[in-house]
Amino acid sequence: MGKLVIVGTVAFDAIETPFGKTDKILGGAATYIGLSAANFNVDTAAVSVVGGDFPQEYLDLLKDRDINIEGVEIVKDGKTFFWSGKYHNDMNSRDTLATELNVLADFNPIVPDNYKDSDVVMLGNLHPIVQIGVLDQMTKKPKLVVLDTMNFWMDTALDQLHEVIKRVDVITINDEEARQLTEEYSLVVAARKIHEMGPKYVVIKKGEHGALLFHNDNVFYAPALPLEEVFDPTGAGDTFAGGFAGYLASTGDVSFENMKNAVIYGSTLASFCVEKFGTERMLTLTEDEVNKRLQQFKNLTQFEIEL
């Protein structure tokens, strides 16, 4: 069984979409990544921080899915990270209504000793200094380090972000962020520039238009599955990353060919995440449902061209 360590937020979200709104519900990058990776035979640990206001039932929920939470620090007199957002009618854009860092402001990640030799390290969206702090604790070089980041860190911590990027094997960002990071409009040119920064593999997520995987001069494209309903896009990118990293940790094969499979698994799991608010859909997901949707992906993308 491969070992996967995830660093990211375990948080509260309040979400509004054209289909409804929620009060505070379970969210956070590490939560979505962990729940997605839990669909594979992987020894997974989450590294995060929560406040004394974080319900025990949410921690139990992660444990019930075999996610080790030794690395989740509980600051008894602190408050958990909170994000609130409202999605526009197209569901591709959103307004952030509130971001309260709370205990995340002073977060010093501690990787449990038993996971300092993990095969795969998944650096969820956090301050680059926190991500570097995790890499510095690893006792052996991981087979694969995957980085997820966002435009906020490009605006506020670009130098530190470049330091992290130098040390990772894979970066996953969306098309807008790839363009901002490289100042290039063409995603092919942007991916080449990001390769030069350090990562051997670049995954550019395009939301409802799928994802691109770049490695040197090789490009692989995975479409997003056409869905009847998109209820809440929150966490879809993290769910993709969790499926991607979980699949690679479970197979132990980090070749470009196998990463194609990982992209498809990530896209498949993300397609479930958007069907209900927050983590709700990921908590009821069955292996049979995942396999049926993988077959749909196969039917969507495989065909013979007669020349």
Side-chain angles (χ1 to χ4, degrees):
M1 187 189 295
K3 261 191 207 175
L4 168 66
V5 66
I6 298 161
V7 59
T9 51
V10 173
F12 290 130
D13 289 340
I15 302 158
E16 184 174 347
T17 79
F19 301 103
K21 61 193 294 187
T22 71
D23 292 323
K24 282 186 177 180
I25 57 172
L26 175 63
T31 305
Y32 284 103
I33 294 167
L35 291 175
S36 186
N39 288 280
F40 305 93
N41 185 28
V42 179
D43 184 2
T44 303
V47 176
S48 192
V49 62
V50 295
D53 58 344
F54 196 74
Q56 182 62 41
E57 68 184 272
Y58 285 168
L59 294 171
D60 291 342
L61 184 150
L62 297 175
K63 281 197 288 190
D64 288 346
R65 278 151 185 82
D66 296 323
I67 300 167
N68 184 299
I69 58 168
E70 285 175 60
V72 179
E73 180 189 358
I74 301 171
V75 181
K76 291 288 187 193
D77 57 352
K79 289 176 72 178
T80 302
F81 174 73
F82 171 67
W83 176 83
S84 175
K86 180 178 181 178
Y87 286 88
H88 297 185
N89 285 337
D90 66 358
M91 302 289 272
N92 286 323
S93 51
R94 70 187 184 195
D95 298 321
T96 293
L97 305 178
T99 303
E100 298 172 11
L101 289 177
N102 297 329
V103 292
L104 196 65
D106 302 310
F107 177 40
N108 179 29
I110 306 295
V111 179
D113 288 341
N114 196 34
Y115 291 88
K116 289 181 177 177
D117 61 349
S118 290
D119 305 288
V120 178
V121 176
M122 178 69 230
L123 300 173
N125 176 30
L126 277 175
H127 197 295
I129 288 175
V130 175
Q131 294 172 327
I132 289 169
V134 168
L135 292 181
D136 287 345
Q137 292 176 58
M138 305 309 290
T139 54
K140 72 166 193 180
K141 185 173 169 52
K143 263 190 178 179
L144 200 73
V145 179
V146 185
L147 168 71
D148 190 35
T149 190
M150 67 181 295
N151 47 8
F152 179 76
W153 306 118
M154 296 172 199
D155 293 335
T156 61
L158 186 60
D159 289 346
Q160 293 103 324
L161 179 58
H162 275 293
E163 287 304 309
V164 186
I165 290 173
K166 278 182 198 169
R167 296 177 60 176
V168 307
D169 303 294
V170 185
I171 183 170
T172 73
I173 51 177
N174 68 30
D175 45 359
E176 179 192 343
E177 292 156 352
R179 289 177 173 129
Q180 179 174 339
L181 184 60
T182 61
E183 299 180 337
E184 295 287 351
Y185 182 79
S186 161
L187 295 179
V188 175
V189 178
R192 190 180 306 130
K193 278 201 168 181
I194 296 170
H195 278 316
E196 290 166 3
M197 295 175 191
K200 295 191 280 289
Y201 305 92
V202 179
V203 178
I204 299 179
K205 299 172 287 187
K206 291 168 60 64
E208 63 180 322
H209 302 297
L212 291 156
L213 169 66
F214 296 88
H215 173 56
N216 297 330
D217 294 325
N218 299 309
V219 186
F220 173 70
Y221 170 69
L225 198 68
L227 298 171
E228 287 188 23
E229 284 190 324
V230 175
F231 205 78
D232 172 21
T234 309
D238 295 317
T239 302
F240 172 91
F244 180 85
Y247 177 81
L248 292 172
S250 69
T251 59
D253 177 357
V254 296
S255 66
F256 179 72
E257 286 305 309
N258 200 45
M259 279 196 194
K260 293 178 184 179
N261 292 324
V263 168
I264 295 294
Y265 269 93
S267 296
T268 300
L269 289 162
S271 76
F272 285 107
C273 177
V274 302
E275 291 181 340
K276 292 194 175 176
F277 271 122
T279 59
E280 190 181 343
R281 186 66 180 92
M282 300 307 292
L283 297 174
T284 61
L285 195 54
T286 66
E287 187 178 354
D288 187 47
E289 286 176 317
V290 174
N291 289 335
K292 280 183 181 170
R293 195 157 286 185
L294 283 167
Q295 186 61 50
Q296 283 180 269
F297 252 102
K298 191 172 182 182
N299 296 341
L300 178 73
T301 56
Q302 293 202 349
F303 54 90
E304 293 293 329
I305 299 178
E306 291 190 20
L307 299 173

